[in-house]
């Protein structure tokens, strides 16, 4: 039996950008390079921040491919199947009703609803799984730097390595390196 | 369209924020207040009439036997159609990597939501017993096994419209999240003077924070987010096509001459996009003027829309022609009579021929002005045509619903349809209802997708060059 | 004092009502077990446990109470085929009769819980054989008319004050006692007892005291005509069933003339193309129901009916017994075929050909003439000519029987006597005028000056059921009961009927007989008077037994009819005849009686007004019918309001462009335009008597020259059918008899050749699904050769199925609620088109398009093939209505009952049929309540439903027997036989909806 707190933890199991260092970056191009470097340096705990999606960043960071579409497929199909079976059961066995001389199991008439249900289930499962995988929903969360949602870029490094090492790691790409306060430690 | 720089704004990201969020962060202009007042009054009139009809019955409308469907259903089809352009822009053009959609899709999607909200009103208020509306939802109940009729196109509508609305809504909202985050972080450096100001800002901060669902622009989130957008677009595309197809089946699956035409599904979809784009055009032209967004919604955008209107306009004209050809070819006297009656080429009077000819001029003739670059790059011309097209599309539905019903199989049951004040009141009120929401939207939320615009801008800068 | 009126008072106080109920329960204790045992026998609940038993006890106790409380004091005897005691939920049928100025209409009244809810024809009656008219069915709403006089009234100074009827009668007796010159103005009566009671009042005051007039004029005219030509003042029996060739000159015997219901039955019995089919030829001005059903119709100019008759007579004269008779020769001399043609507007050749046909059918033909629309100021003249023709053809005694006439001792006064009375009134020579259910102020020609005259009468006593135009001129109004509330008897066609009340008077009223008894000062109650003083002279055997039998049967055959010798025609009668000798110029008006309103005496019945005119489909109005040419030449359009004026008097009525109306002729219906009859009737239409002519030789309704001018346009006329062309869609199919003889499928149309087979789905087989779930397969067949479009079925349906009346504005919007309508189409050139009728109700399609589209399953198909409608599951999307190719579904646009229906109108509702609320669709159910009632009966008796037990309301209502309903799955049934006929076709078969209603092609006998 899973306790509610566990579920909550599971849902928001997000690697919060607390503790360690945050290096602010000038441009999207630099962020790509920086991500590259940090990955090569073999840093475990790190994340990049940008006001808009940057193509290739996931490769640069070496993130694995998103499996959102599979979820969509599974839920979508099951939605359709459930719908069709439900209609079949209702029209043929639970409450068979004669309409305009049509057979009870007039399957062509079920197609539109089956289709709509496929879409409905697919779409909602997609959003749901994105919220989960994207670790969204924790409204108290703050961006590492306020400008991230406007025009700022940043890399956060959680591993316990010194400021100068980070500076060496991404030389010329950052304009400043700030230590992020870690509530647990202080 | 290619992704060369015609659409690039060439402004730093910070300024883009300022431009797009100006209407949201500044105090409403007088113009907005006037518009809002008008919309609200119209809306209230509509609710008044609806309330009255709930009390005394649908008799206050002009509908009768044989014309048991009138303005309400016409409006329903019309508004559903309007909605389609939004989804088309946000989904189909997205899949086709049409970069010019970026700066108009947010507004277009919003239009979709509100149009569907308007459309969804009518099936409810046209019921004889609206308080019994729950009968059309299939759910296990205490009345013994009693279910809805899954063979009925109206039930298909319930599912189609329901799915369409909810999916569009989440799609739209998820698209908003990063921009709401932007708003959230901009609010932190705001300093209200008055106590009331503080209070209101507090409320706004909380709402925005909740709506931003903790977005911090992490690359890990962006990864899944981008996939989601892609998948939703992929789902919405068949969805939007299905919705108007199903709406068209209300007519196509019937036995009424002028209704049971197999061409209806594609024809309705084309028509929907046609009217939808016209509506987007109207709204865009207004908002770019009012909110100084000319650099975001450029002439090029409008021109592209104009071309879409031209294309879909011709598709619609084609559908009309086919309808007549089929009728002529069918050898079915009743079918042929209906179409002669539409055009008013009978030996006796056809009381609704005028509506057909209005439709014809507006939908078949007017789009052809778009062939000329001079005209399709002229704001006034575009504005007028966009409105004319919508009038035409409303009359298309009028022709389908009314002229087909008023003279069907048995001449003995033929009768006239004369709308009443209530019909007109609700017709106008529906526009009020729509603009009520739209005006609130432009004040409350960024009407251009900030993050996407920035992404495109960055895409131009980055050597690789990417973007949608 | 009479028991009825005493008990009548109980209606005015609740406690009294309770007391009454209590008394009744004490009075008849043996009734409840009876009710229960009845139930057990009937097997309505096999396992009758204690609980159920008590329930029933309780129910029967209360119901029995109520029900007895509403039954008259005297013993009345229900129809034998029904359980003698009224049981809750089980209808009791009483055989009785409507006896009024129109004649004796034998009826069967269906009562539930002691309240009459439906009037039907009396199938066993030897003459009517269950035939009914719309007029007959409408009676039920007149019983429950909220505007009926609830008590008597007395005029003190200016306005009326209520007094109870007993007092009123007492006062009347006083008034009469003192007065020297007392006169009675009344309508005809077919009741021997009434006449007797009255005569003992009149005897004291001289024979000329009473004047009997006939507002419509049909009967008086026939009566006078017979007297002139044969010396016997009777109304003979016309045997339309015996005639091979019928020629009607203006006589609308299928619609309004004398006894249309009987004539329709007789006529339709000869409309079977497979047997010896008769032929109907009609010459008339305004297209009447009869004209619309004619095999050949001659439109003739207004005012030329007599000329046509004479012209015809001249053609037939040569070689006949009367060929050398001077006065005959003199009379017909001017009217050569050509001359007649010139005047009437018919081709000379046509007249000749008709004459030829008639000559071939000597003794097997029938020529009828007359009717309101032929009254030309010389009462009976046209009858004389018609009688001459019949005598020439030797029809008299064969197709016209006179030994047992329809009306024997008619008491119609001559027009001269009426004129005299009015003069006397004018000159103040009348002290007391008693109006016996007469409304002369309304229904005498304005020219007679009655309006002014009546003001000069010192005392006017009105026996009336409404405070109508004349009653409001009276000083004393005595409230008369409805015929369903009063004892009466009737004698007509040799059949004696005892009319028993089926409910105690709802208000403080008394039956007319009762009233006359008291006025005459006879100390007896009417029931005893009928039984002891009159019945004896008609009934044979022990009076008590015979009377009881007469009560339960509803009639007693006193004298049998049968063919008789021909009478001697008095040629002299012709000498006085004056007919126009040249065609009339300018616009000429003819006034006619409409099927739905008749002479307007029941003008406060909304159902009559809502029933569309069979020919024009206009309701809630009378209208000026003009020819298309006249409309065009005068620049009149539909929607114009015209003012018709004659000799300074004028009325306003909307225009209607009537096909088959001669140019220069105009027609207008009488009976409309009441000023004070009630909330419904007041101000509906215009009073056409305003324009009629009046003289001591008779009123003039035909050939009145008038001026017409347009006074208003954009006037909204309520009509249920705006389009009259069939557009070659083969909806009402028809073929000449000759073609039919060669090809039984004659009249079918080309697209029948390629009817669709199966669609996306396989065709559903009902015979299989019916197994186990009830093995019936309901279907209907409608014979268009028989259907006359008389609309009796429509009204019967209204009454059976609680269909609301919507009113003029709603009908104008196209929102009438009728479950079945009669489609009427015109074919051929507009000068003389052929009219076609088809009753259209829900066709119960096997592939019903309405069912597929209903989102909530509110309408679905029963295994027996009924298209069911669940009102409380309906949310009112109206999609079914849109998708119905026949447009027979009706939507409740407003609430029609809640707070809309005034007491006591609710009693007319049929408890077996749901009353539909606002916002739901309703439609014909094939009278499913009747099917299920019979199913229960059959089940409890362990048999199948028998065809004779089950009739739909429309089928029962049809006087022409055109509608047959039954189990078409069963080879034995009549319905199946009709269904299988080769001339049967299904409307809109090409749409592939497979209707369960089959129409039989209309066969026209073109001679």
């Amino acid at each position: 039996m899973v306790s509610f707190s566990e579920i909550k933890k599971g849902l928001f199991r997000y690697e919060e950008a607390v503790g360690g260092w945050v290096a602010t970056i000038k441009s999207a191009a630099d962020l790509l390079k920086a991500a590259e470097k940090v990955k090569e340096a073999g840093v475990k705990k790190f994340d990049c921040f940008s006001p808009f999606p940057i193509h290739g960043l996931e490769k640069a960071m070496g993130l694995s491919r998103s499996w959102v579409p599979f979820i969509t497929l599974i839920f979508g199909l099951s939605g359709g199947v459930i719908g069709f079976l439900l209609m079949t059961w209702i029209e043929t066995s639970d409450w068979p009703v004669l309409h305009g001389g049509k057979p009870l199991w007039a399957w062509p008439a079920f197609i539109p609803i089956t289709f709509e249900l496929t879409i409905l289930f697919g779409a909602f499962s997609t959003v749901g799984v994105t919220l989960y995988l994207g670790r969204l929903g924790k409204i108290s969360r703050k961006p590492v730097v306020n400008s991230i949602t406007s025009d700022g870029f940043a890399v956060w490094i959680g591993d316990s390595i010194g400021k100068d090492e980070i500076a060496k790691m991404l030389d010329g790409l950052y304009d400043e390196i700030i230590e992020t306060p870690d509530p647990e430690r202080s | 369209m290619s992704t060369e720089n015609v659409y690039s704004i060439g402004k730093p990201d910070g300024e883009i924020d300022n431009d797009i969020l100006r209407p949201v962060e500044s105090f409403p202009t007088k113009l907005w207040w006037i518009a809002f007042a008008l919309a609200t009054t119209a809306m209230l009139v509509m609710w008044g009439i609806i309330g009255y009809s709930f009390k005394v019955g649908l008799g206050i409308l002009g509908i009768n036997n044989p014309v048991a469907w009138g303005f309400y259903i016409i409006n329903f089809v019309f508004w559903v159609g309007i909605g389609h352009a939004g989804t088309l822009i946000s989904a189909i053009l997205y899949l086709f990597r049409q970069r010019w959609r970026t700066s108009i899709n947010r507004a277009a999607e919003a239009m979709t939501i509100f149009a569907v909200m308007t459309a969804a009103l009518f099936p409810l208020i046209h019921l004889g017993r609206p308080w019994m509306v729950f009968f059309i939802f299939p759910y296990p109940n205490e009345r013994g096994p009693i279910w809805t009729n899954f063979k009925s196109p109206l039930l298909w509508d319930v599912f189609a419209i329901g799915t369409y609305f909810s999916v569009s809504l989440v799609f739209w909202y998820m698209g908003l999240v990063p921009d709401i985050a932007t708003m959230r972080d901009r609010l932190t450096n705001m300093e209200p003077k008055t106590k009331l100001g503080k209070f209101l800002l507090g409320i706004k901060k909380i709402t925005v924070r909740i709506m931003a669902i903790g977005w911090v622009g992490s690359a890990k989130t962006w990864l899944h987010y981008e996939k989601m957008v892609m998948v939703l677009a992929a789902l919405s595309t068949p969805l939007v096509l299905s919705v108007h197809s199903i709406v068209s089946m209300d007519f196509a699956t019937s036995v009424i001459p002028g209704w049971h035409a197999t061409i209806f599904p594609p024809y309705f979809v084309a028509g929907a996009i046609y009217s939808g784009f016209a509506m987007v055009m109207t709204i865009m032209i207004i908002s770019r003027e009012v909110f100084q967004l000319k650099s975001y919604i450029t002439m090029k955008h409008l021109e592209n829309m104009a071309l879409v209107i031209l294309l879909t306009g011709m598709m619609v004209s084609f559908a009309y022609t086919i309808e007549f050809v089929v009728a002529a070819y069918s050898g079915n006297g009743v079918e042929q009579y209906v179409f002669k009656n539409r055009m008013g080429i009978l030996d006796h009077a056809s009381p609704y021929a005028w509506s057909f000819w209005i439709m014809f001029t507006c939908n078949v003739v007017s789009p052809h002005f778009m062939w000329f670059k001079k005209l399709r790059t002229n704001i006034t011309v575009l504005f007028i045509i966009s409105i004319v097209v919508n009038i035409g599309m409303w009359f298309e539905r009028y022709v389908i619903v009314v002229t087909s019903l008023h003279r069907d199989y048995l001449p003995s049951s033929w009768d006239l349809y004369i709308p009443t004040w209530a019909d007109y009141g609700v017709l106008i009120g529906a526009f009020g209802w729509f603009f009520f929401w739209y005006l609130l939207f432009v004040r409350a939320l960024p009407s251009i997708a900030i993050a996407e615009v920035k992404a495109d801008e960055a895409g131009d800068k980055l050597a690789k060059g990417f973007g949608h | 004092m009479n028991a009825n009126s005493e008990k009548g008072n109980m209606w005015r106080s609740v406690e009294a009502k309770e007391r009454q109920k209590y008394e009744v329960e004490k009075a008849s204790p043996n009734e409840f077990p009876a009710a229960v045992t009845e139930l057990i026998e009937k097997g309505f609940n096999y396992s009758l446990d204690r609980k159920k038993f008590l329930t029933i006890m309780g129910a029967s106790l209360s119901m029995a109470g109520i029900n007895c409380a509403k039954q008259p004091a005297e013993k009345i005897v229900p129809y034998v085929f029904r359980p003698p005691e009224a049981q809750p939920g089980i209808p009791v049928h009483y055989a009785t009769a409507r006896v009024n100025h129109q004649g004796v209409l034998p009826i069967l009244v269906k009562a539930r819980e002691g309240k009459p809810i439906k009037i039907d024809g009396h199938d066993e009656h030897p003459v009517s054989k269950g035939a009914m008219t719309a007029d007959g069915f409408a009676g039920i709403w007149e019983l429950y008319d909220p505007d009926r006089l609830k008590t008597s009234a007395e005029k003190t100074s200016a306005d009326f004050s209520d007094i109870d009827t007993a007092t009123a009668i007492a006062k009347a007796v006083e008034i009469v006692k003192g007065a020297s010159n007392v006169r009675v103005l009344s309508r005809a009566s077919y009741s021997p007892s009434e006449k007797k009671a009255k005569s003992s009042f009149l005897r004291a005051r001289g024979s000329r005291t009473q004047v009997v007039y006939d507002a419509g004029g049909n009967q008086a005219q026939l009566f006078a005509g017979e007297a002139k030509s044969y010396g016997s003042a009777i109304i003979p029996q016309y045997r339309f069933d015996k005639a091979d060739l019928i020629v009607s000159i203006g006589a609308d015997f299928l619609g309004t003339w004398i006894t249309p219901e009987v004539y329709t039955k007789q006529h339709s019995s000869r409309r079977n193309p497979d047997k010896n089919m008769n032929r109907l030829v009609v010459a008339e001005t305004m297209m009447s129901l009869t004209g619309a059903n004619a095999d050949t119709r001659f439109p003739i100019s207004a005012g030329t009916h007599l000329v046509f008759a004479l012209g015809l007579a001249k053609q037939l004269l040569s070689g006949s017994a009367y060929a050398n008779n001077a006065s005959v020769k003199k009379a017909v001399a001017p009217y050569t075929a050509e001359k007649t043609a010139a005047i009437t507007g018919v081709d000379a050749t046509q007249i000749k050909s008709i004459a030829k046909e008639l000559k071939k059918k000597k003794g097997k033909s029938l020529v009828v003439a007359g009717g309101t629309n032929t009254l030309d100021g010389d009462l009976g003249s046209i009858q004389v000519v018609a009688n001459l023709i019949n005598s020439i053809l030797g029809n008299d005694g064969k197709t016209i029987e006179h030994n047992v006439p329809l009306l024997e001792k008619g008491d119609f006064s001559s027009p001269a006597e009426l004129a005299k009375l009015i003069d006397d009134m004018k000159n103040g020579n009348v002290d007391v005028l008693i109006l016996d259910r007469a409304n002369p102020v309304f229904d005498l020609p304005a020219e007679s000056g009655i309006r002014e005259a009546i003001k000069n009468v010192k005392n006017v006593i009105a026996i009336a059921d409404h405070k109508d135009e004349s009653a409001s001129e009276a000083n004393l109004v005595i409230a008369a009961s409805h015929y369903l509330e009063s004892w009466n008897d009737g004698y007509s066609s040799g059949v004696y009927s005892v009319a028993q009340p089926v409910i105690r008077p709802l208000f403080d009223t008394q039956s007319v007989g009762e009233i006359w008894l008291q006025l005459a000062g006879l100390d007896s109650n009417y029931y005893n008077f009928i039984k002891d003083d009159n019945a004896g002279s008609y009934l044979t055997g022990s009076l008590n037994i015979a009377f009881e039998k007469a009560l339960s049967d509803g009639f007693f055959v006193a004298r049998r009819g049968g063919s008789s010798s021909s009478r001697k025609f008095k040629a002299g009668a012709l000498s006085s005849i004056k007919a126009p000798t040249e065609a009339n110029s300018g616009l000429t008006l003819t006034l006619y009686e409409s099927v739905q309103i008749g002479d307007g005496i029941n003008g406060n019945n909304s159902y009559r007004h809502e029933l569309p005119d069979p020919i024009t489909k206009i309701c809630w109005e009378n209208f000026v019918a003009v020819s298309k040419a006249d409309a065009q030449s005068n620049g009149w359009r539909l929607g114009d309001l015209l003012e018709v004026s004659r000799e300074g008097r004028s009325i306003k009525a909307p225009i209607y462009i009537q096909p088959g109306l001669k140019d220069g002729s105009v027609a207008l219906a009488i009976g409309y335009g009441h000023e004070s009859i009630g909330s419904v009737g007041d101000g509906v239409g215009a009073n056409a008597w305003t324009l009629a002519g009046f003289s001591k030789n008779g009123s003039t309704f035909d050939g009145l020259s008038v001026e017409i001018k347009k006074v208003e346009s954009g006037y909204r006329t309520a009509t249920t059918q705006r389009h009259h062309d069939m557009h070659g869609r083969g909806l009402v199919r028809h073929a000449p008899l000759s073609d039919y003889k060669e090809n039984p499928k004659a009249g079918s149309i080309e697209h029948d050749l390629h009817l669709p087979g199966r669609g996306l789905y396989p065709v559903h087989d009902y015979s299989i699904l019916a197994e186990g779930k009830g093995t019936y397969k309901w279907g209907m067949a409608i014979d268009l050769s028989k259907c006359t479009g008389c609309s009796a079925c429509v009204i019967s349906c209204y009454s059976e199925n609680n269909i609301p009346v919507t009113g003029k504005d709603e009908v104008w919007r196209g929102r009438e609620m009728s479950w079945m309508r009669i489609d009427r189409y015109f074919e051929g050139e507009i000068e003389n088109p052929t009219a076609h009728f088809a009753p259209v109700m829900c066709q119960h399609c096997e592939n019903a398009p309405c069912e597929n589209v209903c989102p909530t399953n509110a309408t679905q198909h029963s295994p027996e093939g009924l298209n069911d409608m669940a009102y409380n599951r309906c949310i009112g999307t109206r999609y079914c209505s849109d998708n119905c190719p026949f447009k027979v579904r009706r939507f409740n646009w407003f609430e029609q009952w809640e707070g809309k229906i005034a007491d006591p109108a609710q009693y007319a509702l049929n408890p077996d049929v749901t009353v539909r609320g606002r916002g739901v669709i309703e439609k014909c159910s094939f009278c499913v309540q009747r099917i299920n009632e019979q199913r229960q009966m059959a089940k409890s008796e362990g048999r199948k439903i028998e065809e004779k037990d089950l009739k739909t309301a429309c089928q029962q209502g049809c006087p022409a027997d055109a509608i047959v309903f039954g189990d078409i799955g069963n080879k034995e049934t009549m319905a199946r036989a009709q269904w299988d006929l080769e001339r049967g076709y299904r409307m809109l078969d090409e749409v592939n909806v497979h209707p369960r209603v089959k129409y039989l092609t209309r066969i026209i006998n073109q001679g």
Side-chain angles (χ1 to χ4, degrees), chain B residues 55 61 65 250 412 415, chain C residues 722 815 823 853 879 890 918:
Chain B
K55 193 168 180 301
L61 304 175
N65 188 27
D250 291 348
S412 60
D415 211 332
Chain C
R722 282 203 166 87
R815 293 174 178 174
D823 290 358
V853 298
Y879 196 1
R890 298 284 183 253
R918 186 235 305 178

Side-chain angles (χ1 to χ4, degrees), chain C residues 434-465:
Chain C
I434 303 175
L435 298 172
D436 180 3
R437 286 158 298 167
N439 186 4
V441 174
F442 171 71
D443 59 20
L444 275 182
E447 204 171 274
S448 65
I450 180 78
R451 264 175 197 282
E452 303 71 40
I454 202 165
K455 290 194 167 29
N456 301 351
V457 180
K458 295 186 193 59
N459 281 308
V460 179
I461 301 169
I463 302 169
D465 51 12

Side-chain angles (χ1 to χ4, degrees), chain C residues 122-188:
Chain C
H122 191 343
D123 297 350
E124 256 95 80
H125 193 280
V127 179
S128 82
K129 299 192 175 66
M132 283 288 277
T133 55
D135 172 60
F137 287 110
I140 193 75
W141 297 295
E142 277 129 29
L143 168 65
Y144 296 121
D145 179 356
D147 297 339
R148 244 175 74 202
L149 282 176
K150 295 188 170 55
T151 180
S152 301
E154 179 185 34
K155 192 182 261 168
T156 48
S157 72
D159 51 1
F160 284 95
S161 58
D162 289 359
I163 54 173
D164 51 285
T165 303
T167 329
I169 295 170
K171 282 182 188 283
V173 172
E174 280 314 306
I175 295 170
V176 172
K177 204 174 282 158
S180 63
N181 189 352
V182 179
R183 304 295 299 273
V184 177
L185 182 58
S186 68
R187 305 293 300 271

Side-chain angles (χ1 to χ4, degrees), chain A residues 97-115:
Chain A
V97 168
L98 202 51
H99 292 122
K102 284 184 182 174
L104 293 176
W105 190 61
W107 62 269
F110 301 163
I111 290 172
I113 293 181
T114 311
F115 174 81

